[in-house]
Amino acid sequence: MATILIAGANRGIGLELARQYAAEGHDVIRCMRGTDKAGEEIGETRPLDVTDDASAAALAKALAGRPIDLVIANAGVIGPEKQSATEMDFPGFLAVLDTNVLGPLRVVQALLPNLRAAGQARVAVVSSQMGSFRSTQPNFVAYRASKAAVNKVFQCLAGDLKEEGIAVAALHPGWVRTDMGGPGADLAVETSAAGIRKVLDDLDLGRTGRFYAYDGTELEW
Ligand SMILES: NC(=O)c1ccc[n+]([C@@H]2O[C@H](COP(=O)([O-])OP(=O)(O)OC[C@H]3O[C@@H](n4cnc5c(N)ncnc54)[C@H](OP(=O)(O)O)[C@@H]3O)[C@@H](O)[C@H]2O)c1
C-alpha cells in the first residue's frame, strides 16, 4: 500500500481522490487550508495553504523522514470575476498564479525529501485542458494562463526528476460537478477521480512529463 498526499483535499476532486484511495487501503494524507467537508474520517488531515511558504515548510517538517509515494497537487482556484484580456483584475490574476502555478511547485519542492525517500515515487498536478494552447476560447484568461504555466513548470519538473526515478504528470480531470465545475458539468466527481487514479496507476518513467486527461488520453500542451 502506498502513502499518498493530496493538497486541497477538503472538498471537490481532491476529497474524492482521498476517499477512493483510502477505500483501497492506502495511507492517505489530506492537506487543506480550510474547513473539512468530508463529513467522515478519511486518512489523516494536515494544514496546508499552498500560497504560503511557511505553511509548506511546516508540512514538510511535520512529515520529515516519512516516505511519500505519490503527491497530488490538486488545490486550485478559478480566479477573479473580471479576467478577460481587455479587462483584468490584476491583483486577482496574481493571486491565481500564486495558487495554481507557484502553489503546486511549492508543495512538491517542500516534499522532495519524502518523495526521494520513497523510491519510484510519482507526482501529479491537477491542471486543466483550459490551459492548452489548442484551446482558443478567450474567456477565463487568468485561469487559462495559470494552467498553461503550471503545465510548463511540471514538464520541466519531470525533466529534473527523471534521473531520480520520480515520474511526473499534468492531469486534466474533465469538466466535473464540483463547486468549481458547477452543477451542469459533464462528469460526476467519482468518475473523474476513478479515471485519475487509473492514469496515476499507469504513470511511470516511460510516461513521465506528459499531459493526460482523466480517461487516459494524452493531451497536447
Ligand atoms: N471541476 C472542474 O471541472 C475542473 C476542470 C479542470 C480542472 N480542475 C482543477 O481541479 C482542481 C480541483 O478543482 P475542484 O473542481 O475540486 O474545485 P473546488 O471544489 O473549488 O476545490 C478546490 C480545492 O482547492 C483548495 N484550495 C484552493 N486554494 C487553496 C490554497 N491556497 N491552499 C490549499 N488549498 C486550496 C480548496 O480549498 P478551500 O476549501 O480551502 O477553498 C478546495 O479543496 C483544481 O486545480 C481545478 O483547477 C477542475
Side-chain angles (χ1 to χ4, degrees), residues 1-3 21 24-27 69:
M1 288 297 114
T3 299
Y21 278 125
E24 273 192 332
H26 295 294
D27 189 5
D69 302 285

Side-chain angles (χ1 to χ4, degrees), residues 37-50:
K37 302 277 173 65
E40 60 185 308
E41 211 170 295
I42 300 170
E44 67 183 83
T45 60
R46 297 272 173 189
L48 174 66
D49 182 335
V50 302

Side-chain angles (χ1 to χ4, degrees), residues 130-195:
M130 285 174 74
S132 167
F133 281 85
R134 301 281 295 180
S135 166
T136 54
Q137 266 182 287
N139 57 1
F140 293 102
V141 170
Y143 181 76
R144 287 177 183 278
S146 75
K147 295 301 190 181
V150 81
N151 281 354
K152 175 46 82 178
V153 170
F154 273 65
Q155 186 191 48
C156 292
L157 184 69
D160 280 339
L161 295 182
K162 191 168 184 177
E163 279 194 1
E164 297 193 54
I166 300 172
V168 178
L171 305 174
H172 170 58
W175 184 25
V176 190
R177 291 189 290 276
T178 60
D179 292 340
M180 187 185 289
D186 289 338
L187 295 175
V189 70
E190 293 82 0
T191 309
S192 173

Side-chain angles (χ1 to χ4, degrees), residues 7-15 31-37 48-52 73-78 98-100 125-130 143 146-147 171-182 185-186 189 196:
N10 56 320
R11 62 189 171 101
I13 295 166
L15 172 58
C31 298
M32 62 195 74
R33 64 168 177 179
T35 316
D36 190 0
K37 302 277 173 65
L48 174 66
D49 182 335
V50 302
T51 64
D52 183 351
N74 163 78
V77 290
I78 194 73
D98 197 10
T99 304
N100 292 5
V125 60
V126 182
S127 179
S128 171
Q129 203 167 16
M130 285 174 74
Y143 181 76
S146 75
K147 295 301 190 181
L171 305 174
H172 170 58
W175 184 25
V176 190
R177 291 189 290 276
T178 60
D179 292 340
M180 187 185 289
D186 289 338
V189 70
I196 288 172

Side-chain angles (χ1 to χ4, degrees), residues 44-123:
E44 67 183 83
T45 60
R46 297 272 173 189
L48 174 66
D49 182 335
V50 302
T51 64
D52 183 351
D53 290 333
S55 176
L59 176 70
K61 193 172 172 199
L63 297 174
R66 194 160 154 196
I68 298 178
D69 302 285
L70 172 61
V71 169
I72 304 176
N74 163 78
V77 290
I78 194 73
E81 190 104 329
K82 199 171 72 175
Q83 53 167 309
S84 80
T86 52
E87 263 196 289
M88 180 59 73
D89 169 350
F90 286 98
F93 194 169
L94 268 180
V96 182
L97 294 175
D98 197 10
T99 304
N100 292 5
V101 187
L102 281 63
L105 188 62
R106 197 176 266 122
V107 172
V108 174
Q109 283 195 1
L111 299 174
L112 273 177
N114 308 76
L115 289 160
R116 288 177 173 133
Q120 298 190 321
R122 290 161 296 151
V123 171

